[in-house]
Each structure stands twice: as C-alpha cells, then as structure tokens.
Amino acid sequence: MNKHGQTLVLFVVLIPILLGFTAFIIDMGLIISKTVELKEVSKTILENVKNNASDEKIRELFLKNDIPVEQLDVVIEKNQIHIFNEYEVDSIFGAVIGIKDYDIRVDITGIYNGDKVTFE
C-alpha cells in the first residue's frame, strides 16, 4: 500500500505549525530579554545613585545603557526613589499576524536603609 500521499499531507500540515511555534518562541524570548534588561538596569541605577539622585542623572544612566527615556517617570523622596519606564520594541515575527511592537515596562521602587537598598 502506498502511504506517500499521507506523509505529504502530514508534512504540509505540520510545517506551518512548527514555524508558528518557532516564531512565538523567538518573540517571547525577545520580550523576556528586554524586560529583564530594563529591570536589571533600573535596579543597578537605583543602587548607584543613592546619595546624589536626580532626574537628569537617572535619565543619563538610562541613555548610556541604550534604553529610551521618553516615558521615564522618576519620583525622588527622602529615603526612596520610584522609577517607571515604558518603551516599545519592534516585533520580529509578530508583524506576520499584525503585532507591530511590544510594550516593555518597569515599575520599581528602591528604598534606602543605610547602605542597603530594597526593591518593591
């Protein structure tokens, strides 16, 4: 019995599914990578600007790390600094299904207790 036709149909059905799954994994990796990068850079900035914190200094440090600051919001209080930043990253494969970009955001507060910094 000839089963070459069944194999061809199975192959034609599975290839788009595998390509879609691969595209999904790549885009999710991009989103996770950029989110972790933004979060870690924000934490590092909060640890390094303890005593001489200012909006300009924090913006400058984000720009040195190639992170956009158009949506950056910094609130400096007595013992804490609150950072909210949001920017868009172009999708790689999401454009195929109509997703042009992804929003990456961080909302973090650094509370200073002497030499230690705790994050909320």
Side-chain angles (χ1 to χ4, degrees), residues 40 42-50 112 115 117 119:
E40 293 304 316
S42 298
K43 283 183 175 182
T44 303
I45 289 172
L46 286 173
E47 289 173 349
N48 290 323
V49 296
K50 293 179 200 173
Y112 299 102
D115 289 342
V117 180
F119 300 105

Side-chain angles (χ1 to χ4, degrees), residues 11-109:
F11 183 74
V12 168
V13 170
L14 285 180
I15 288 297
I17 292 172
L18 291 174
L19 288 175
F21 187 66
T22 303
F24 173 75
I25 289 173
I26 291 172
D27 272 1
M28 288 306 295
L30 172 71
I31 293 168
I32 291 169
S33 169
K34 292 296 184 178
T35 302
V36 168
E37 177 187 14
L38 179 59
K39 186 176 181 180
E40 293 304 316
V41 167
S42 298
K43 283 183 175 182
T44 303
I45 289 172
L46 286 173
E47 289 173 349
N48 290 323
V49 296
K50 293 179 200 173
N51 299 326
N52 56 354
S54 68
D55 289 350
E56 296 81 26
K57 177 80 172 170
I58 292 172
R59 284 183 189 280
E60 178 185 317
L61 290 171
F62 272 113
L63 290 172
K64 282 184 180 180
N65 286 288
D66 297 326
I67 295 178
V69 294
E70 288 81 24
Q71 300 290 326
L72 179 64
D73 184 30
V74 178
V75 177
I76 301 173
E77 295 178 0
K78 184 177 180 182
N79 289 332
Q80 67 182 15
I81 300 174
H82 179 80
I83 293 178
F84 176 80
N85 196 7
E86 178 179 8
Y87 67 97
E88 295 177 347
V89 175
D90 293 333
S91 67
I92 296 174
F93 291 105
V96 173
I97 59 171
I99 301 172
K100 295 179 185 175
D101 50 35
Y102 301 108
D103 291 332
I104 307 297
R105 67 177 59 119
V106 70
D107 190 4
I108 190 166
T109 302

